[in-house]
Amino acid sequence: MFVLSVGKIPFIHVGNQVVSELGPIVQFTKAKGHSLSDSLDDVQRAEMKAYMELVYNMLLTSELFVQWCDDATAGEISRPRYSSPYSWPLGNILAYQKQWEVRRKMNAIGWGGKTLEQVYEDVNQCCQALSQRLGTQPYFFNKQATELDALVFGHLFTILTTRLTSTELAERVKSYSNLLSFCRRIEQTYFEDKKLMKD
Amino acid sequence: MAAPDELFCWEGDWGLPSVSTDCLVVLVRVRSASLRRKKSSKTSHALLLPMVSPGSLPALRTNQNETLSRPSDIIIHLRKQKFNADFDLSAKEGADSLAFISLLEEKLMPALIYTFWVEPKNFVEVTRRWYAEHMMFPLNFFLPGRMQSRQLEKLRLLRGDEHLEAGEELEKELYRDAAECMNLLSQRLGSHKFFFGDSPSSLDAYVFGHLAPILKCKLPNGKLQQHLKSLDNLSDFCSNILLLYFPRDGREPSAQKAPAAPEAGDFDNVPNKRRKQFLSALFALGAMLSYALLTGMVSIQHGHQEALEEPPDPEHIGAHEEEGDG
């Protein structure tokens, strides 16, 4: 079954409405009366939003960088994967176009001149910040999961389980034991019928 | 230590030491750290340097003659030179800094770019005029336009929309994000003087760099400014930093620092204006002369000066008669 969306995933389909991307989905569910962050006070909500932006800014950008701006990874993994649904030569063209787009974006935000090492260092810093914030708590705020927990889980899980040419990115994340146990805990709590992560 | 590094920034206006966000961030870092160390730092306000392209200010020329252009690179370099404002922060505060800086860059910066570079009225009446006045001839004709297209492309890439144009929808969205960001910052700041403790950290520098231009610059479309002014603690925060670290600029809005570089602010406007007037007078004269020559009112014959005086008379009378008829 093919579902036409506005081109952005994730999306949810409720009745005859389609809402895509995390931010709008959160707003939508909030409007329907389900919100994860109601119990937070103003300062905590400010911090939560800020940490979410940190994840978008650093983790997401680093993931894109490693996938598309590192020639080895792009050539061996990202381009073939991106072009696989299409036949030759359309797949190749689209894959190169995507790579070019991502590189342009990196240049625009000032990441164009970065080396892979610097990006790994940025990921390290970001994970360190998240690890500091998490500390020994089960979730980032209170004893309850919020949108931030969902976002962090999504990204860290992706980094830990996506196959890349080098495992350095995953190793950096794994070096923070509380983040690793956080991911496992979320997986066990919410996805217990499916084993998502291999040990 | 060897000769000091030189920092090149855009000039200031409207009571600020510099009009550019990135320059402000670096300036606050340098000032707060150097005051703490009681060491002087050398800052030049350069209008244009041949080796530094104006789109990439601030720029730091190190004593090894290397030029660093990204604010983050400059700050890392300064940190290595022990100009560090952050060693008093705990690990958690450092993490919070990083998070809030990301928030600023994602939510507030697009609105800043829009309000200064994309919104048509603001750009034409304020931004373009300011940059054109502060650049040398003939760069002032095309460089502001080029800076604008670069900023527009940056905004397009940030929003992920290739065909973004100025418009009410976009403006509403961006300003809404920016207002939310400012509210969050205000909530986090509360009634404290700085975000962490009693002295500014890098987060304070970033927040100041982004908010100060909005607060101080008078724009035709000033919705962001209105919202910021309604948040008292943020306005006080900006004024506080200005008073503490840039007292001269804070007091006199139109004062210019006299830097080492000879191309200082106001002085250039006068010779430029004169030069322009002279050039345009010359051009007008040249145009009139060539018209006269082409229509034959004045003809030049080598060696016969009387020829210049006699033939024009009947021709002139003839021309006048024609004009009288026509």
Side-chain angles (χ1 to χ4, degrees), chain B residues 33 45 54 68-69 90 104 119 139 144 157 191 207 211 222 281 289 306:
Chain B
H45 286 200
L68 299 170
S69 177
S90 72
L104 273 176
E119 213 277 334
L139 290 149
L157 285 170
S191 52
V207 174
L211 293 182
L289 260 177
E306 302 89 64

Side-chain angles (χ1 to χ4, degrees), chain A residues 108-151:
Chain A
I109 56 176
W111 280 52
K114 288 199 177 187
T115 62
L116 210 53
E117 264 312 305
Q118 283 173 320
V119 172
Y120 287 150
E121 191 45 46
D122 286 336
V123 171
N124 199 22
Q125 257 192 333
C126 179
C127 289
Q128 194 178 35
L130 289 172
S131 177
Q132 287 291 337
R133 190 70 186 76
L134 183 62
T136 49
Q137 300 171 94
Y139 299 106
F140 279 95
F141 291 96
N142 299 340
K143 306 253 185 318
Q144 224 191 345
T146 56
E147 289 91 350
L148 177 61
D149 301 280
L151 189 65

Side-chain angles (χ1 to χ4, degrees), chain B residues 210-281:
Chain B
H210 284 82
L211 293 182
I214 302 176
L215 189 65
K216 291 285 182 177
C217 177
K218 296 245 175 319
L219 292 167
N221 186 343
K223 297 197 186 111
L224 277 185
Q225 193 182 62
Q226 279 171 351
H227 187 88
L228 181 54
K229 285 195 172 154
S230 71
L231 296 164
D232 291 328
N233 61 350
L234 286 183
S235 322
D236 291 338
F237 168 80
C238 292
S239 320
N240 200 13
I241 292 206
L242 267 177
L243 267 171
L244 270 177
Y245 297 108
F246 307 103
R248 256 179 300 158
D249 299 300
R251 257 180 258 134
E252 301 142 54
S254 49
Q256 305 281 352
K257 267 198 203 156
E263 307 99 278
D266 280 327
F267 305 122
D268 245 14
N269 281 343
V270 178
N272 255 349
K273 228 187 246 169
R274 287 215 190 112
R275 202 190 316 170
K276 278 182 201 166
Q277 284 171 345
F278 177 66
L279 279 174
S280 29

Side-chain angles (χ1 to χ4, degrees), chain A residues 50-66:
Chain A
Y51 275 95
M52 284 173 76
E53 290 305 331
L54 176 68
V55 172
Y56 283 132
N57 200 354
M58 290 210 133
L59 278 186
L60 180 60
T61 317
S62 311
E63 284 162 26
L64 277 177
F65 187 95
V66 170

Side-chain angles (χ1 to χ4, degrees), chain B residues 275-319:
Chain B
R275 202 190 316 170
K276 278 182 201 166
Q277 284 171 345
F278 177 66
L279 279 174
S280 29
L282 202 63
F283 180 72
L285 194 64
M288 286 193 293
L289 260 177
S290 51
Y291 176 72
L293 280 170
L294 284 171
T295 51
M297 281 198 282
V298 175
S299 58
I300 299 177
Q301 290 167 18
H302 295 289
H304 295 271
Q305 281 189 335
E306 302 89 64
L308 272 175
E309 287 153 20
E310 285 176 29
D313 294 331
E315 285 181 33
H316 258 176
I317 295 169

